[in-house]
Amino acid sequence: MSRAIVAELEGPYQRAWGLMTQFIDVCPEEIWAETNGGWPVWQQVAHAVAVLNFFVLEKDDDTFVSAPAELGVLMLKEQGQQVVSKEAMKAYGAAVMSVVDTRVARLTDADLTRIQERVSKKIGRDLSYGAVMVMLGSHTMYHLGSCDAALRDHGLPGVF
C-alpha cells in the first residue's frame, strides 16, 4: 500500500503543530490569559488542539482525549473562565497528537479519496480523508495566526 501522498500531507500539520508548541513556549503568561480576537489566547490554542482530535475520530462512540476544559469551551461555544496552564495545554496537545499520528499512520494514499463519514456528518458536508489531512494543518495555522497577533499586539515577534 502506497503512503507517498499521505507522507507529503503529514508535513503541513506537523509543521503547524510544531509552531503551536513554540507559541505555547514563548507566550508570556499575561498574554496567554488575555482575550484577543474575541477569545482568550489559551482557549484558541485549546480549540485548535481539540479540533485535531475531532478530525480523527472515526465513530460516534469514539471519545475525545481527556481535556483540561469542557467541550463547550474547547469548541468555542462558550468563553472559558478558568485559564488552562501552558503546561496542561502542552500535555493535552501531546496526548492528542499521539492519537492523530496513530490514525494518520494507518492511512494509505487510496484512503485519501474516501469520505470520512463521522466528520462529514458532524460538519454537514462530505469531506474526504484527504480534505481532513489538509484541515489538520490549515485549521491549526488559522488559530496560530490569531495567537501570533496577540504577541505582535504587544510588540513581540510571532512564531510564524
Side-chain angles (χ1 to χ4, degrees):
M1 297 271 175
S2 176
R3 295 191 78 253
I5 299 169
V6 172
E8 289 298 319
L9 291 173
E10 283 181 86
Y13 92 81
Q14 291 289 354
R15 169 105 169 107
W17 178 244
L19 289 169
M20 188 64 84
T21 58
Q22 281 183 297
F23 175 84
I24 295 169
D25 287 339
V26 303
C27 184
E29 294 293 336
E30 62 274 8
I31 296 173
W32 182 253
E34 82 177 21
T35 297
N36 187 290
W39 299 100
V41 170
W42 69 266
Q43 190 172 351
Q44 290 200 45
V45 174
H47 171 72
V49 174
V51 169
L52 288 170
N53 195 176
F54 167 78
F55 281 144
V56 298
L57 297 178
E58 292 288 326
K59 300 180 281 293
D60 285 338
D61 60 351
D62 283 351
T63 57
F64 279 87
V65 168
S66 180
E70 298 296 320
L71 190 59
V73 171
L74 295 173
M75 292 300 154
L76 301 180
K77 295 191 183 297
E78 59 191 74
Q79 191 157 344
Q81 301 304 312
Q82 299 286 353
V83 175
V84 172
S85 73
K86 293 180 359 174
E87 294 75 25
M89 194 64 67
K90 284 177 75 170
Y92 174 51
V96 167
M97 286 305 291
S98 177
V99 170
V100 171
D101 290 344
T102 298
R103 178 63 194 120
V104 169
R106 292 193 310 248
L107 288 176
T108 67
D109 290 353
D111 292 326
L112 296 176
T113 59
R114 290 189 312 111
I115 299 299
Q116 209 289 12
E117 298 291 339
R118 183 186 180 281
V119 173
S120 295
K121 184 172 101 179
K122 297 287 184 185
I123 290 181
R125 62 183 162 85
D126 285 347
L127 290 172
S128 67
Y129 280 93
V132 168
M133 287 290 298
V134 169
M135 292 171 83
L136 288 171
S138 63
H139 183 264
T140 303
M141 289 300 262
Y142 171 82
H143 287 285
L144 177 64
S146 296
C147 292
D148 256 6
L151 294 178
R152 294 174 206 271
D153 286 349
H154 290 277
L156 300 169
V159 295
F160 184 66

